[in-house]
Amino acid sequence: MSNYLEVILQITEFNRDLKIERLQLGAEEVWFVCYDSVVNSQETIEFIWKSGITPAVSYDEICTRLAGKAWSTKNMNELQQGRVVLLSADGEQAFSFQGKPASLSRAMDKPENESMPFAPAIAFMEPLTTNIGLIRKSMNSPYLMAEGFTFTGAATKEATLVYHSELVNTQLLDQVKSHLQKAANRDLQTGQDLMEILGSSHFDLLSPFYKTEIPMQAISSMMKGRVILLIDGEPVAYVLPLLFGDFISIQWDRQLPLLIMFALRYLRLMSLLISLLTPGLYVALVSVNPETLRIELALSVASSRIGIPLPTFLEMAFLLIVSEISIESTQRLPKSIAASITVIGGIVLGTAIVDAKLVSSLVIIVLSVSVTATFAFPNYLNTLNIRITRAAIVVLSGIFGVFGLFAGFITICFYVCRIEHFGIPFMSFFDFKKLKQT
């Protein structure tokens, strides 16, 4: 193996933020090496001087005082995790220790994608330790456990599994830990990577987790026996596993009287059915099974379609595509521009399409009700699955009518009832505390 100093000097050409500085520590002259972008070098050097360095100190004593460990060029990735390397003057010896981190994080902020009235205005942040601290401060329990995992693929990624040792479902915990331990040598950069690590198929419509950026929501799930996965660099918590109740309930509901809480949850459940079935039902009744309509309603529908060149199925398909494009186009725009696009797409464009006799006004009404109902759910990401299945039901309804509508809905029911993540059924409505020993 070549001299450590020579190896490091070779890679400085490709890493402009790699800092190499000569330091005189007592009787020893050493080389100070770190990434200036992730380590505050000035504070770290001050920390070294305050660790009890004397004029007669030796290189080995410096290593002991700084709680260092032996280092080699095989551990080069440690530098990117905030560690500092001290090399002997000849470059033949090296040890590393934890440096003082540079300030890379933003200030605490309120949630951007989730809203809970009168809830603490604090959201998860990118640093892993900060997110663990938010949970510990909010929960304050001696039974709170945080187990660390490292994924060493193309880039090293740190993750922490957080759970309540007294309330956690042991079967769930064992399976999740097993999946994470087996994937130690894999990449963890995207949600798809995490789904693969947790044993899900590429073709699964529902992921085994849901994301939340609100610590209170994550803690609520943990108190019901679930586990939380925090990943360094991501301002969200992954709650495992995803359950049907996550589509219609949130922790904030419990701030209200019991009857109002149930009323809100039944309203969201009704919104799910309206969002999923209304467009397909309209297409089925108007284009395939008009004989099922009352004569008054049939005449009203017929009069609204006078002069419309497109069949009902193509009307609905066209407007569904336009609405999805409008929703997607506003997700990554600045809020001021997104509001303008929404007005243009929702009001101006809708009115112009009806006036141009391309679609009937009834289709606009049905689709508006369906799209509005889609966003009655607590978590925006959960609406993506509903929007996809809604399009599939519209296609089946346009081909087979009411039979296709019910066939599609029953198929979806069978599909979600057979989903099971980590031994917990997706449609489980039980408290995990009751399932803990099962």
Side-chain angles (χ1 to χ4, degrees):
M1 184 67 184
S2 58
N3 184 284
Y4 292 148
L5 182 59
E6 293 176 358
V7 174
I8 291 176
L9 288 173
Q10 289 175 2
I11 66 173
T12 54
E13 180 182 353
F14 306 101
N15 296 276
R16 61 177 299 174
D17 59 335
L18 184 62
K19 181 175 183 177
I20 302 179
E21 183 178 345
R22 187 190 296 266
L23 292 180
Q24 185 70 41
L25 300 180
E28 293 288 336
E29 188 176 74
V30 298
W31 292 96
F32 177 89
V33 182
C34 70
Y35 278 111
D36 214 21
S37 56
V38 296
V39 173
N40 189 320
S41 57
Q42 187 62 37
E43 289 188 4
T44 303
I45 292 174
E46 291 178 5
F47 167 74
I48 294 174
W49 281 110
K50 293 178 181 178
S51 62
I53 303 298
T54 62
V57 71
S58 66
Y59 180 82
D60 291 335
E61 289 176 329
I62 296 173
C63 177
T64 302
R65 289 181 180 275
L66 296 177
K69 66 176 184 178
W71 183 87
S72 70
T73 51
K74 294 180 181 179
N75 302 322
M76 188 66 71
N77 64 322
E78 289 185 355
L79 292 172
Q80 301 183 52
Q81 299 171 16
R83 295 191 71 86
V84 175
V85 173
L86 288 185
L87 304 175
S88 59
D90 57 7
E92 298 294 336
Q93 293 178 283
F95 71 87
S96 68
F97 65 96
Q98 189 64 43
K100 298 296 181 180
S103 179
L104 298 176
S105 60
R106 53 186 170 86
M108 289 290 181
D109 202 357
K110 61 182 181 180
E112 291 290 334
N113 301 304
E114 295 179 78
S115 177
M116 287 190 184
F118 307 109
I122 298 177
F124 285 118
M125 297 176 60
E126 289 80 7
L128 181 59
T129 52
T130 301
N131 292 338
I132 298 174
L134 286 174
I135 292 179
R136 287 195 181 279
K137 186 174 182 180
S138 300
M139 192 169 181
N140 191 22
S141 170
Y143 300 107
L144 183 63
M145 303 296 170
E147 293 191 34
F149 296 87
T150 303
F151 300 90
T152 57
T156 301
K157 201 76 167 181
E158 298 289 335
T160 298
L161 192 65
V162 185
Y163 57 92
H164 192 290
S165 61
E166 293 295 307
L167 301 177
V168 68
N169 181 288
T170 54
Q171 178 186 0
L172 166 65
L173 179 63
D174 292 341
Q175 291 196 32
V176 172
K177 288 171 64 174
S178 175
H179 284 294
L180 295 177
Q181 290 167 353
K182 291 178 182 177
N185 297 323
R186 298 184 58 176
D187 280 329
L188 179 55
Q189 304 298 327
T190 65
Q192 293 182 5
D193 293 336
L194 183 57
M195 287 179 65
E196 291 182 20
I197 288 172
L198 295 175
S200 293
S201 169
H202 288 288
F203 302 101
D204 286 346
L205 189 59
L206 293 171
S207 63
F209 54 79
Y210 83 89
K211 298 180 182 180
T212 180
E213 58 181 348
I214 302 178
M216 186 178 77
Q217 183 65 23
I219 291 172
S220 171
S221 298
M222 189 162 48
M223 295 296 287
K224 296 176 182 177
R226 290 194 266 185
V227 298
I228 308 299
L229 184 66
L230 302 173
I231 300 176
D232 192 31
E234 297 193 23
V236 295
Y238 292 85
V239 180
L240 304 169
L242 173 69
L243 299 177
F244 177 74
D246 298 322
F247 284 78
I248 60 174
S249 65
I250 53 176
Q251 171 62 15
W252 178 80
D253 295 343
R254 296 186 176 274
Q255 305 296 331
L256 303 171
L258 188 65
L259 291 179
I260 298 179
M261 181 188 78
F262 281 117
L264 282 175
R265 293 183 177 180
Y266 281 121
L267 181 64
R268 294 182 191 129
L269 181 59
M270 186 169 62
S271 298
L272 187 152
L273 297 176
I274 290 174
S275 173
L276 195 62
L277 301 178
T278 303
L281 181 62
Y282 178 83
V283 170
L285 294 179
V286 173
S287 64
V288 183
N289 302 108
E291 69 278 0
T292 59
L293 296 173
R294 288 176 57 89
I295 186 64
E296 296 86 357
L297 183 57
L299 290 174
S300 176
V301 172
S303 63
S304 71
R305 290 190 46 78
I306 295 175
I308 305 300
L310 298 175
T312 305
F313 171 71
L314 290 183
E315 280 185 274
M316 187 63 71
F318 170 68
L319 285 181
L320 272 176
I321 293 172
V322 171
S323 68
E324 293 299 327
I325 291 174
S326 177
I327 293 170
E328 187 63 24
S329 65
T330 58
Q331 292 303 307
R332 280 159 284 279
L333 290 175
K335 291 183 178 180
S336 57
I337 301 177
S340 301
I341 295 296
T342 302
V343 172
I344 293 173
I347 299 177
V348 178
L349 183 60
T351 304
I353 290 176
V354 173
D355 291 343
K357 293 291 184 179
L358 292 178
V359 298
S360 68
S361 57
L362 276 178
V363 173
I364 295 287
I365 294 171
V366 170
L367 186 63
S368 299
V369 171
S370 177
V371 171
T372 303
T374 302
F375 297 105
F377 308 118
N379 195 314
Y380 163 74
L381 292 178
N382 290 339
T383 67
L384 299 176
N385 303 306
I386 298 169
R387 287 153 58 187
I388 291 173
T389 52
R390 176 177 60 195
I393 287 179
V394 168
V395 172
L396 290 173
S397 300
I399 298 174
F400 302 107
V402 175
F403 175 79
L405 173 76
F406 284 103
F409 181 67
I410 292 172
T411 300
I412 292 172
C413 291
F414 273 109
Y415 174 74
V416 296
C417 287
R418 65 176 291 272
I419 295 176
E420 188 177 281
H421 293 133
F422 316 111
I424 306 298
F426 172 72
M427 297 299 292
S428 173
F429 293 96
F430 297 100
D431 194 324
F432 275 11
K433 287 184 286 187
K434 298 177 183 178
L435 299 174
K436 185 176 179 182
Q437 302 300 329
T438 62

